[in-house]
Amino acid sequence: MAGRLSFTVGFLIVASAGLRHGACAATTYTVGDDLGWTVPKNSSYYEEWASQKTFQIGDSIVFNSTTGNHTATEVDTREEYDNCTKMGIIVKVGAGVQKTFDRNATLYYLCSEGTHCEQGQKMIVKVGDGIAPSFAARSLAAAAAASALFFSTVAIYFLN
Ligand SMILES: *[C@@H]1O[C@H](CO)[C@@H](O)[C@H](O)[C@H]1NC(C)=O
Ligand SMILES: *[C@@H]1O[C@H](CO)[C@@H](O)[C@H](O)[C@H]1NC(C)=O
Ligand SMILES: *[C@@H]1O[C@H](CO)[C@@H](O)[C@H](O)[C@H]1NC(C)=O
Ligand SMILES: *[C@@H]1O[C@H](CO)[C@@H](O)[C@H](O)[C@H]1NC(C)=O
Ligand SMILES: *[C@@H]1O[C@H](CO)[C@@H](O)[C@H](O)[C@H]1NC(C)=O
Ligand SMILES: [Cu+2]
């Protein structure tokens, strides 16, 4: 009984430390920097841009397109990415479409307009170690976050 309790408390401390770390270190990157999200000059432009960054949970990327029609399409697999598959979660990009990373993952983005993807408007984003947590691990983390929220709500209640 005592063993189980200390495990739970330990887990909550680790979980809330993780949340706090994420909030402190959060960085917002504009994809492509000054170029924004458009058809690049060379086909490896965005892949190089993304590979030079270290993305972490809590960080955000902003897709910013000021000219032309572009989408930030998230496809599921490397095969779809390599193939420039135009379907997926398609978001039309104007100035400032933001995506915040809430877990480690390898994410594949491309533009679904015309041949933009074939011309290099695509990139691979590695968040953390790039390994998506299993469904079980995500549920556990969500439960821990919910308990942490519950405990801080109780703390606020007692402070008032
Ligand atoms: C692509 O363009 C970027 C920015 O102009 C440059 O840094 C990079 O070296 C280029 N890559 C290739 C393969 O030409
Ligand atoms: C952008 O999309 C609109 C509506 O779909 C179209 O009328 C317009 O010609 C497109 N512009 C470019 C630059 O492709
Ligand atoms: C790749 O694209 C071709 C041509 O559009 C299509 O036939 C094929 O099914 C695609 N493969 C994948 C894995 O998306
Ligand atoms: C989007 O691009 C425009 C033009 O380069 C720039 O003025 C603006 O600050 C950019 N917005 C973001 C969120 O990066
Ligand atoms: C996410 O990746 C980082 C490495 O960049 C690792 O230290 C961390 O434990 C990972 N987080 C999860 C929840 O797997
Ligand atoms: Cu495009």
Side-chain angles (χ1 to χ4, degrees):
M1 182 63 193
R4 192 177 156 191
L5 185 69
S6 58
F7 167 78
T8 309
V9 170
F11 187 74
L12 285 174
I13 290 166
V14 170
S16 48
L19 290 175
R20 217 176 306 120
H21 173 77
C24 285
T27 305
T28 301
Y29 299 92
T30 299
V31 177
D33 298 320
D34 290 344
L35 181 63
W37 182 240
T38 187
V39 176
K41 298 173 201 91
N42 64 52
S43 60
S44 56
Y45 183 86
Y46 291 106
E47 287 182 347
E48 285 176 34
W49 179 85
S51 70
Q52 284 156 13
K53 305 283 181 287
T54 306
F55 300 106
Q56 292 178 321
I57 295 170
D59 287 350
S60 302
I61 51 173
V62 175
F63 292 91
N64 187 14
S65 299
T66 49
T67 55
N69 297 329
H70 303 284
T71 70
T73 302
E74 195 178 315
V75 294
D76 290 332
T77 65
R78 178 70 200 235
E79 288 69 31
E80 290 175 331
Y81 176 83
D82 287 340
N83 210 18
C84 282
T85 299
K86 303 285 161 51
M87 289 175 305
I89 304 167
I90 301 176
V91 179
K92 263 201 162 313
V93 173
V97 170
Q98 183 165 343
K99 159 85 187 182
T100 302
F101 307 125
D102 60 359
R103 66 187 69 128
N104 287 351
T106 301
L107 303 167
Y108 303 97
Y109 290 101
L110 54 87
C111 178
S112 301
E113 288 286 331
T115 58
H116 295 187
C117 175
E118 287 80 357
Q119 293 176 75
Q121 195 177 1
K122 51 161 31 182
M123 65 173 182
I124 301 170
V125 169
K126 204 172 127 181
V127 182
D129 55 16
I131 301 165
S134 67
F135 178 75
R138 285 213 308 271
S139 307
L140 211 59
S147 320
L149 196 66
F150 172 76
F151 281 117
S152 48
T153 306
V154 170
I156 289 162
Y157 175 80
F158 280 121
L159 280 173
N160 280 339

